[in-house]
Amino acid sequence: MKLTLKEIAHKIDGKVIGDETLEIFGVSSFYDAKKGEITFASDPKFLKALGRTCAGAVIVPDDFDIVPKESVNDKDNSALGFDEKIILPLSLIKTQNPKRKFFRILSFFHPSKKPNQTIAKDSVIGNNFIHGYNLTIGHHVTIGDSVKIGDNVEIMHGVYIGDEVVIGNNTLIKPNTTIMDRTQIGSRVIINSGTVIGSDGFGFTQDSLDIKDASGGGGVNEKIPHAGFVQIDDDVEVGACNTIDRGTFGRTWIQKGVKTDNLVHIAHNVIVGEHSLIVAQVGIAGSTVIGKRVILAGQAGISGHLKIGDGAIVGPAAGVLNDVESGQIVSGVPAMPHKLWLKVASILSKLPEMRKKLIALEKNINLKKINM
Amino acid sequence: MKLTLKEIAHKIDGKVIGDETLEIFGVSSFYDAKKGEITFASDPKFLKALGRTCAGAVIVPDDFDIVPKESVNDKDNSALGFDEKIILPLSLIKTQNPKRKFFRILSFFHPSKKPNQTIAKDSVIGNNFIHGYNLTIGHHVTIGDSVKIGDNVEIMHGVYIGDEVVIGNNTLIKPNTTIMDRTQIGSRVIINSGTVIGSDGFGFTQDSLDIKDASGGGGVNEKIPHAGFVQIDDDVEVGACNTIDRGTFGRTWIQKGVKTDNLVHIAHNVIVGEHSLIVAQVGIAGSTVIGKRVILAGQAGISGHLKIGDGAIVGPAAGVLNDVESGQIVSGVPAMPHKLWLKVASILSKLPEMRKKLIALEKNINLKKINM
Amino acid sequence: MKLTLKEIAHKIDGKVIGDETLEIFGVSSFYDAKKGEITFASDPKFLKALGRTCAGAVIVPDDFDIVPKESVNDKDNSALGFDEKIILPLSLIKTQNPKRKFFRILSFFHPSKKPNQTIAKDSVIGNNFIHGYNLTIGHHVTIGDSVKIGDNVEIMHGVYIGDEVVIGNNTLIKPNTTIMDRTQIGSRVIINSGTVIGSDGFGFTQDSLDIKDASGGGGVNEKIPHAGFVQIDDDVEVGACNTIDRGTFGRTWIQKGVKTDNLVHIAHNVIVGEHSLIVAQVGIAGSTVIGKRVILAGQAGISGHLKIGDGAIVGPAAGVLNDVESGQIVSGVPAMPHKLWLKVASILSKLPEMRKKLIALEKNINLKKINM
């Protein structure tokens, strides 16, 4: 597989600065790229280091004002703020948003494998199955009754799909995933392996009466039946080994464009707003509402029944016990405004010194008292 | 499916206040309920808002002293502390513990699907298999040798059950769960999907000698064989994607009535006492003993070889490094008494201000010194 | 199964002190062991308590200077620092590294089950499959195209192995594991159940342009294709329900001898150096490099693009936001030198008292000001 720079430029609405006939055989990162490969540079840090990549070509921003090849050894170069070592044996493609365009070229060189559009004979499918064109079902899959699936869907090895599940078009369910009954999944959704969707929420009723009873043998935590379901809207990607519980009644709702990383826990009746990003090992307790375009950084924990406003950012490992306003950035345990947390965090390590000073001051003052 | 209020009252030992012939077609939450649905109100917050639900009927506490329908527009109403808007077009059922009774009615309208009591032909079962009545085994299940299973057990799609596993009556193993050899599971247990029970503990021997050897190629961390097993007693529910390691020798023991949420880690030789609740993403390190009726809130971490007393509560994301006495409530990292943590937590955000004051005081005193 | 002490001593290069003909029927822990069982004591705590185990024999260090049986009631005994109750009805085996030797004996009494060296008929294997001697493939396994597997490999129930995966010799893949395409796994590796290797990393491109577009319906987070893979070297053990993402390009690399506990998350392009130990629920963000023989304690979180030096130790639940030097021990959130963290942690609970003092001092000084 190869492309000339001209062909690449055409694919990404770019303009070649250099050799249009250069042949590119692959993509790589800035410092790993070799002669026949293309990479990208979108921020000054990399743009200034253009002379240090061994790539054959680099995708750069539209407005990048490079010194023309011919004058590269001129003193003007450093005047432009570039690394003095830039002696560009490489070609450039100027375009908008180089990073995104680069990933398009990456997709060209590493196309995702086309599903085989067959239904494995060892898969088991229930009654009243309705499905669209180009369905792929892998081996050892079980699909329940009254399931409805759209076009171009791929369901990989070992997946379980319960009764009355609905799946849209172009959705991919990776191996060994569990989708419990009545889950609703939109189009262009990806569910990564090991994930469980529609498990029962962690809900139990407990009362003093029963605790007395229990000494006689009864259980004290009676399971609350979970009559709700999970709804996952279009363009969502759910990471590996996530657990998304069904609603007690009503739905747990992952809205359009949300992306979750691995080992994320989303409890019953949570709503995650459009295009929010949930990083690895985050936990969200029951009935909390996450707004749109929110970012929850890794290992953050969000208590139940809270409201996290649109565009809010929660820092890594933060412990959120109260509502967060739209656009706010919070960090720490308990979560506080991020700027405040930065100060607090920097003072934490000075606490021993502060304590010493405080004790010294106290003595000092007491001494004075005595002296007076 | 429908029930009259009279029929519902009969099912939950209640007394109808209002129209006994009213037909109920489903259940819902307080504010989502519609005319043909029933909901419940167990605390003053909801009882005062009875006029605001659109439910046809509400289950309320036995001792709830409602103004009779006829006098609802009297001034007495507000005197009783109710919302002035209460104009009860709804009927009530008075009973003990409305929440729990409500969930019984919920179970009636949303009965769990009856297992089909068949053994899928594509499941594989080892030698010396002993089982009781009404066994259901789903598709693509593997069961090892010398497994013993009680009555009314359901094992769903893709489950692996190792050799010499024992399972009691009325237990449900959800899809894609892994139960390694020699695990013992009681009656009325539910294991949610993706969970792994009986994995080897994280135990390795390491010694200086071997570290030297290793430079010559050997491994430095030699695996400790795990000869123990996991025992799960009656009425336990294990959440999705839990990992419960087997004992090094002896057992890891989850006692009667324990409930774990999702993504919980329980290490080798841990004991979790009866009726304890372990919320999502908690981790318990090796050989720790958790007492009875303990609550470990979400993301808490408990170090190894500790003892958490009966009835103790560990707050969310707390880091427990020492034993916790019975009945104590601890929070924070490192864990401390909860009330103290609340104070500490509130002071954390004042640290920058405290530091400024301290520095100012110091200067002040030094100035005085100079002045004196 | 039984062994005489003489036979055991022979197996572990030890010397019997006591009855060489004693028959041992099993192993157990120090305080649980019974008459026919052997245990070990490697540190003074247990060596001093030798009189308190009921074991028939104890493996002790080479240089352990025990009072001979005959003189055990002499006063010399306490002079040697032993528990006065030592009246050794037990025999000893002296050897180097008793703990490790003990586990060898444990392995003898609890041998791991020998794989049956058959390929289950219901497993599905793709084209161009190459494999060595003694291959065991369990039920309901799917193996993709162009997979290459060495000798003595066991792949258990429900495992998915994608295209072009390579696996060395003597490797064990436990049930319900997912190994995505192009993963490379070495020899003597163990992958525990529920683990996902080679999932796509959490990488999305986002730009302001698209956010504007999105209001018109487009997705704001465009998926970055993941063209890389995961490489797992020899002698690695991966715990249950781990998620190890593939590189964006290039590899995510788990080097020789690394051991991970359960529910660990390792993001794209992370490198974990040789013989490092990663305890349960740790998360490592993208492109971070962990050195050799590092220990990451439970629930620790490591930010992306960091370097953790060789031999460093990160404490439980620590939040590492910066590089850690080789050999350093860090703890806390944010992570700081462990000794400093110990001080800080001990002061945290004194903050309320410190604050009171500070306010009192302030008043005191202000009063003085007024008085002056």
Side-chain angles (χ1 to χ4, degrees):
Chain A
M1 219 182 300
K2 65 178 179 184
L3 289 173
T4 64
L5 270 201
K6 191 176 175 184
E7 288 167 326
I8 291 177
H10 182 74
K11 278 177 184 293
I12 60 173
D13 269 330
K15 197 185 149 196
V16 177
I17 311 294
D19 178 7
E20 284 202 332
T21 66
L22 185 72
E23 289 181 334
I24 295 296
F25 299 86
V27 298
S28 195
S29 61
F30 193 82
Y31 288 111
D32 290 342
K34 288 161 207 154
K35 250 190 157 175
E37 294 176 328
I38 193 165
T39 189
F40 75 101
S42 54
D43 62 43
K45 188 179 135 202
F46 287 100
L47 287 168
K48 285 185 186 175
L50 274 181
R52 293 196 184 144
T53 177
C54 297
V58 182
I59 306 173
V60 297
D62 232 1
D63 55 0
F64 175 61
D65 205 6
I66 186 74
V67 183
K69 244 179 175 179
E70 293 71 27
S71 66
V72 92
N73 290 322
D74 287 6
K75 287 193 179 167
D76 292 349
N77 189 21
S78 63
L80 286 170
F82 291 106
D83 189 292
E84 293 191 17
K85 285 180 194 152
I86 299 188
I87 308 173
L88 296 174
L90 51 72
S91 295
L92 303 177
I93 297 181
K94 290 170 82 165
T95 185
Q96 278 195 318
N97 201 340
K99 190 177 177 183
R100 174 168 287 194
K101 299 294 172 56
F102 170 75
F103 286 119
R104 288 198 189 147
I105 300 308
L106 192 157
S107 295
F108 175 82
F109 282 104
H110 298 274
S112 41
K113 209 193 161 190
K114 225 191 147 183
N116 62 15
Q117 300 184 4
T118 59
I119 298 175
K121 280 180 189 157
D122 56 13
S123 64
V124 177
I125 296 174
N127 298 317
N128 304 320
F129 183 49
I130 297 173
H131 67 90
Y133 296 108
N134 303 333
L135 178 61
T136 303
I137 297 184
H139 296 284
H140 315 301
V141 166
T142 298
I143 294 180
D145 292 336
S146 304
V147 169
K148 203 178 150 188
I149 294 183
D151 296 335
N152 303 310
V153 168
E154 183 178 10
I155 295 168
M156 294 179 76
H157 159 97
V159 170
Y160 174 81
I161 293 183
D163 296 343
E164 297 171 56
V165 167
V166 176
I167 298 177
N169 301 319
N170 301 295
T171 284
L172 169 60
I173 315 281
K174 295 202 183 172
N176 291 328
T177 296
T178 304
I179 317 276
M180 299 301 284
D181 53 295
R182 286 183 291 121
T183 298
Q184 294 187 19
I185 297 179
S187 291
R188 297 174 303 281
V189 169
I190 299 172
I191 312 285
N192 281 279
S193 292
T195 283
V196 177
I197 295 176
S199 35
D200 284 355
F202 193 65
F204 302 91
T205 50
Q206 207 176 24
D207 54 353
S208 47
L209 192 75
D210 288 293
I211 286 175
K212 259 186 279 168
D213 289 356
S215 59
V220 276
N221 295 294
E222 192 176 326
K223 186 177 173 69
I224 294 175
H226 278 72
F229 62 99
V230 175
Q231 178 180 328
I232 293 178
D233 290 347
D234 296 346
D235 300 303
V236 168
E237 179 163 356
V238 177
C241 293
N242 279 215
T243 59
I244 305 181
D245 285 345
R246 65 177 59 235
T248 309
F249 8 68
R251 61 191 166 185
T252 302
W253 188 8
I254 313 299
Q255 295 183 347
K256 187 179 166 65
V258 167
K259 315 289 183 185
T260 75
D261 200 347
N262 298 336
L263 292 166
V264 166
H265 166 67
I266 298 178
H268 56 93
N269 295 100
V270 164
I271 298 174
V272 182
E274 293 181 8
H275 305 298
S276 287
L277 296 174
I278 303 182
V279 184
Q281 297 177 316
V282 163
I284 307 174
S287 300
T288 280
V289 177
I290 310 288
K292 297 176 184 181
R293 296 179 213 286
V294 167
I295 297 174
L296 306 181
Q299 298 188 330
I302 319 289
S303 281
H305 297 273
L306 298 185
K307 197 172 161 9
I308 311 298
D310 293 349
I313 297 176
V314 174
V320 180
L321 303 171
N322 296 294
D323 289 355
V324 176
E325 296 286 311
S326 292
Q328 258 216 301
I329 307 178
V330 300
S331 293
V333 181
M336 58 188 81
H338 180 66
K339 281 185 185 171
L340 177 56
W341 168 248
L342 286 179
K343 279 186 205 158
V344 170
S346 75
I347 291 174
L348 276 179
S349 60
K350 292 169 189 151
L351 276 181
E353 174 209 316
M354 276 174 69
R355 188 147 194 272
K356 270 188 202 159
K357 278 190 186 168
L358 188 62
I359 291 168
L361 278 179
E362 225 181 359
K363 272 193 196 156
N364 198 316
I365 293 205
N366 288 341
L367 274 177
K368 276 189 203 158
K369 273 189 194 161
I370 294 164
N371 292 345
M372 284 193 219
Chain B
M1 220 182 301
K2 66 178 179 184
L3 288 173
T4 64
L5 271 202
K6 191 176 174 183
E7 287 167 327
I8 291 177
H10 181 74
K11 278 177 185 292
I12 61 174
D13 269 330
K15 198 187 149 196
V16 177
I17 311 294
D19 178 6
E20 285 203 332
T21 66
L22 185 73
E23 288 181 335
I24 296 295
F25 298 86
V27 298
S28 194
S29 62
F30 193 83
Y31 287 110
D32 291 342
K34 287 161 207 154
K35 246 188 161 178
E37 293 176 327
I38 192 166
T39 188
F40 75 100
S42 53
D43 62 43
K45 190 179 133 201
F46 286 99
L47 288 167
K48 284 184 184 173
L50 274 181
R52 294 196 183 142
T53 177
C54 298
V58 183
I59 305 172
V60 297
D62 232 2
D63 56 358
F64 176 62
D65 205 4
I66 185 74
V67 183
K69 243 180 174 176
E70 293 70 27
S71 67
V72 94
N73 289 323
D74 287 6
K75 287 192 178 168
D76 292 348
N77 190 22
S78 64
L80 286 170
F82 291 106
D83 189 291
E84 292 191 18
K85 286 180 193 151
I86 299 189
I87 308 173
L88 295 174
L90 51 73
S91 296
L92 303 177
I93 298 181
K94 290 169 82 165
T95 185
Q96 277 195 317
N97 201 339
K99 190 177 177 184
R100 173 168 287 193
K101 299 294 173 55
F102 169 75
F103 286 118
R104 287 197 190 149
I105 300 308
L106 192 158
S107 295
F108 175 82
F109 283 103
H110 298 273
S112 41
K113 209 192 162 191
K114 226 193 145 180
N116 61 15
Q117 300 184 5
T118 60
I119 298 176
K121 281 181 190 155
D122 56 15
S123 65
V124 177
I125 296 174
N127 299 317
N128 305 318
F129 183 49
I130 298 172
H131 67 91
Y133 296 110
N134 304 333
L135 177 61
T136 303
I137 297 184
H139 295 285
H140 311 120
V141 166
T142 298
I143 294 180
D145 292 336
S146 304
V147 169
K148 204 178 150 188
I149 294 182
D151 296 335
N152 304 309
V153 167
E154 182 178 9
I155 295 169
M156 294 180 76
H157 159 96
V159 170
Y160 173 81
I161 293 184
D163 296 343
E164 296 171 57
V165 168
V166 176
I167 299 177
N169 301 319
N170 302 295
T171 284
L172 168 60
I173 315 281
K174 295 202 182 172
N176 290 327
T177 296
T178 303
I179 316 278
M180 299 301 284
D181 53 295
R182 286 183 292 123
T183 299
Q184 294 187 18
I185 298 179
S187 292
R188 297 174 304 280
V189 169
I190 299 172
I191 311 285
N192 281 279
S193 291
T195 283
V196 176
I197 295 175
S199 36
D200 283 355
F202 193 64
F204 302 92
T205 50
Q206 207 176 24
D207 54 352
S208 49
L209 191 76
D210 289 293
I211 286 174
K212 259 186 280 169
D213 289 356
S215 59
V220 275
N221 295 294
E222 190 175 328
K223 186 177 173 69
I224 293 175
H226 278 71
F229 63 98
V230 176
Q231 179 180 328
I232 294 178
D233 289 348
D234 295 346
D235 301 302
V236 167
E237 178 162 356
V238 177
C241 292
N242 279 215
T243 59
I244 305 181
D245 286 345
R246 65 178 58 236
T248 309
F249 7 68
R251 60 190 167 186
T252 303
W253 189 9
I254 314 297
Q255 294 182 347
K256 189 179 166 62
V258 167
K259 314 290 182 184
T260 75
D261 199 347
N262 298 335
L263 292 166
V264 166
H265 166 66
I266 298 177
H268 56 93
N269 295 99
V270 165
I271 298 173
V272 183
E274 293 181 8
H275 305 297
S276 287
L277 296 174
I278 303 183
V279 183
Q281 297 178 317
V282 162
I284 307 174
S287 299
T288 280
V289 177
I290 310 287
K292 296 176 184 181
R293 296 177 213 287
V294 167
I295 297 174
L296 305 181
Q299 298 188 330
I302 319 289
S303 280
H305 298 273
L306 298 184
K307 198 173 160 8
I308 311 297
D310 292 349
I313 298 176
V314 174
V320 180
L321 303 170
N322 296 295
D323 289 355
V324 176
E325 296 286 310
S326 293
Q328 258 217 301
I329 307 179
V330 299
S331 293
V333 182
M336 58 188 81
H338 181 65
K339 281 185 184 170
L340 177 56
W341 169 247
L342 287 179
K343 280 185 206 160
V344 170
S346 75
I347 292 174
L348 277 179
S349 59
K350 291 168 190 152
L351 275 182
E353 174 208 316
M354 276 174 69
R355 189 146 193 272
K356 270 188 202 158
K357 278 189 186 169
L358 189 62
I359 291 168
L361 277 179
E362 227 181 358
K363 271 193 195 157
N364 197 316
I365 293 203
N366 288 340
L367 274 176
K368 274 187 204 158
K369 272 189 194 159
I370 293 165
N371 292 344
M372 283 194 222
Chain C
M1 219 182 298
K2 65 178 179 184
L3 288 173
T4 63
L5 272 200
K6 190 177 174 182
E7 288 166 327
I8 291 177
H10 182 72
K11 277 178 186 292
I12 59 174
D13 268 330
K15 197 186 149 195
V16 177
I17 311 294
D19 178 7
E20 285 202 328
T21 66
L22 186 72
E23 289 180 335
I24 296 295
F25 299 86
V27 298
S28 194
S29 62
F30 193 82
Y31 287 111
D32 291 343
K34 286 160 208 156
K35 246 185 161 179
E37 294 176 327
I38 193 166
T39 188
F40 76 101
S42 54
D43 62 43
K45 189 179 136 202
F46 287 99
L47 288 168
K48 286 183 184 175
L50 275 181
R52 294 196 183 141
T53 178
C54 298
V58 182
I59 305 173
V60 296
D62 231 2
D63 56 359
F64 175 61
D65 205 5
I66 186 74
V67 183
K69 243 180 176 179
E70 294 70 26
S71 66
V72 91
N73 290 322
D74 288 4
K75 287 191 179 169
D76 293 347
N77 189 23
S78 63
L80 286 169
F82 291 105
D83 189 291
E84 293 192 18
K85 285 179 194 151
I86 299 188
I87 309 174
L88 295 173
L90 50 71
S91 294
L92 303 177
I93 297 181
K94 290 170 83 165
T95 185
Q96 277 195 318
N97 201 340
K99 191 178 178 184
R100 173 168 286 193
K101 298 295 172 55
F102 170 74
F103 287 118
R104 287 199 189 146
I105 300 308
L106 193 156
S107 296
F108 175 82
F109 283 105
H110 299 273
S112 42
K113 210 194 161 189
K114 226 193 146 180
N116 61 16
Q117 300 184 5
T118 61
I119 298 175
K121 281 181 189 155
D122 56 13
S123 65
V124 177
I125 296 174
N127 298 317
N128 303 319
F129 183 49
I130 296 172
H131 67 91
Y133 297 108
N134 304 332
L135 177 61
T136 303
I137 297 183
H139 296 285
H140 314 302
V141 166
T142 298
I143 294 180
D145 292 336
S146 304
V147 170
K148 204 177 149 188
I149 294 183
D151 296 335
N152 303 309
V153 167
E154 182 178 9
I155 295 169
M156 294 179 76
H157 158 98
V159 169
Y160 173 81
I161 293 183
D163 295 343
E164 295 170 58
V165 168
V166 176
I167 299 177
N169 301 319
N170 302 294
T171 284
L172 169 60
I173 316 280
K174 294 202 183 172
N176 291 327
T177 296
T178 304
I179 316 278
M180 300 301 284
D181 53 296
R182 286 183 291 122
T183 299
Q184 294 187 18
I185 297 178
S187 292
R188 297 174 304 281
V189 169
I190 300 172
I191 312 284
N192 281 279
S193 292
T195 282
V196 177
I197 295 176
S199 35
D200 283 355
F202 193 64
F204 302 92
T205 50
Q206 207 177 25
D207 54 353
S208 48
L209 192 76
D210 289 294
I211 285 175
K212 259 187 279 169
D213 289 355
S215 60
V220 275
N221 295 295
E222 191 175 328
K223 186 177 173 69
I224 293 175
H226 278 70
F229 63 99
V230 175
Q231 178 179 329
I232 294 178
D233 289 347
D234 295 346
D235 300 303
V236 168
E237 179 163 355
V238 178
C241 292
N242 278 215
T243 60
I244 305 180
D245 286 345
R246 66 176 59 235
T248 309
F249 8 68
R251 61 192 165 183
T252 303
W253 189 10
I254 314 298
Q255 294 182 347
K256 188 179 167 61
V258 168
K259 314 289 181 185
T260 74
D261 200 347
N262 298 335
L263 293 166
V264 165
H265 166 66
I266 298 177
H268 56 92
N269 295 100
V270 164
I271 298 174
V272 183
E274 293 181 10
H275 305 298
S276 287
L277 296 174
I278 303 182
V279 183
Q281 298 178 315
V282 162
I284 307 174
S287 300
T288 280
V289 177
I290 309 288
K292 297 176 185 182
R293 296 177 213 287
V294 168
I295 297 173
L296 306 180
Q299 299 188 328
I302 318 290
S303 281
H305 297 272
L306 298 184
K307 197 171 161 10
I308 311 298
D310 293 349
I313 298 176
V314 174
V320 180
L321 303 171
N322 296 293
D323 289 355
V324 176
E325 296 285 312
S326 293
Q328 258 217 300
I329 307 178
V330 299
S331 292
V333 181
M336 59 188 81
H338 181 65
K339 281 185 185 171
L340 177 56
W341 168 246
L342 286 180
K343 279 185 206 159
V344 170
S346 75
I347 291 174
L348 277 179
S349 59
K350 291 169 190 151
L351 276 181
E353 174 209 316
M354 276 174 68
R355 188 147 194 271
K356 270 188 202 159
K357 277 189 188 170
L358 189 61
I359 290 169
L361 279 179
E362 226 180 359
K363 272 193 195 159
N364 199 315
I365 293 204
N366 288 340
L367 274 177
K368 275 188 205 157
K369 273 189 192 159
I370 294 165
N371 291 344
M372 284 191 223

